[in-house]
């Protein structure tokens, strides 16, 4: 479930993030190339009515390959069906708690803060 964010804000966020040139691999791996094509065509034509559903579909697709919040600042994950509690998400965060950096662990030794040089701190979140 996506936190309530206006479509214009979602398009602006996608525009900023897509402009970095680093998303094509994620989108292709997620099978989202056609969805992105529809979004690009709708934006170019000024047709905002169809964007929300395609933004949701693209966000869901890339989340499946490890990239969350493509067009939204925050995603709220539902309870996993068939479980008695809520799932947990292991993350790596700022070692000093002064920035909002959150990384999914990738199995390698802890990544480091580029500013302080210290390893990111492991944090388990309940979703």
């Amino acid at each position: 479930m996506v936190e309530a964010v206006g479509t214009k804000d979602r398009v602006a966020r996608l525009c900023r993030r897509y402009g970095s040139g680093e998303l094509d691999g994620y989108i292709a791996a997620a099978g989202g190339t056609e969805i992105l094509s529809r979004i690009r065509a709708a934006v170019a034509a000024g047709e905002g009515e169809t964007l929300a559903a395609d933004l949701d579909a693209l966000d869901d697709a890339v989340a499946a390959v490890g990239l969350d919040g493509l067009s939204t600042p925050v995603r709220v994950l539902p309870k996993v069906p068939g479980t008695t509690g809520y799932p947990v998400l292991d993350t790596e965060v700022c070692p000093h708690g002064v920035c909002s950096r959150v990384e999914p662990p990738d199995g390698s030794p802890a990544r480091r803060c580029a500013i302080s040089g210290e390893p990111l701190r492991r944090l388990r979140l309940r979703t």
Side-chain angles (χ1 to χ4, degrees), residues 92-99 101 103 109-122:
E92 294 175 352
V93 299
C94 175
H96 305 286
V98 297
C99 84
R101 183 175 178 187
E103 302 286 347
R111 286 172 272 218
R112 296 190 170 273
C113 168
I115 297 171
S116 73
E118 294 181 40
L120 296 181
R121 180 174 51 91
R122 292 279 177 142

Side-chain angles (χ1 to χ4, degrees), residues 11-126:
V11 172
R13 183 172 173 85
L14 175 62
C15 182
R16 282 190 301 276
R17 295 194 72 196
Y18 188 72
S20 72
E22 299 175 3
L23 296 177
D24 288 323
Y26 283 102
I27 292 169
T33 305
E34 178 58 36
I35 300 167
L36 180 62
S37 293
R38 289 195 308 263
I39 291 169
R40 293 176 79 171
V43 168
E47 297 172 355
E49 305 83 40
T50 63
L51 285 172
D54 280 334
L55 289 167
D56 287 344
L58 186 60
D59 280 352
D60 290 344
V62 297
V65 295
L67 182 64
D68 201 19
L70 185 59
S71 74
T72 59
V74 177
R75 283 177 59 97
V76 179
L77 303 176
K79 183 177 137 183
V80 174
T83 62
T84 57
Y86 288 89
V88 295
L89 176 65
D90 289 321
T91 62
E92 294 175 352
V93 299
C94 175
H96 305 286
V98 297
C99 84
S100 61
R101 183 175 178 187
V102 177
E103 302 286 347
D106 61 2
S108 63
R111 286 172 272 218
R112 296 190 170 273
C113 168
I115 297 171
S116 73
E118 294 181 40
L120 296 181
R121 180 174 51 91
R122 292 279 177 142
L123 178 67
R124 179 166 275 190
L125 301 174
R126 293 205 177 274

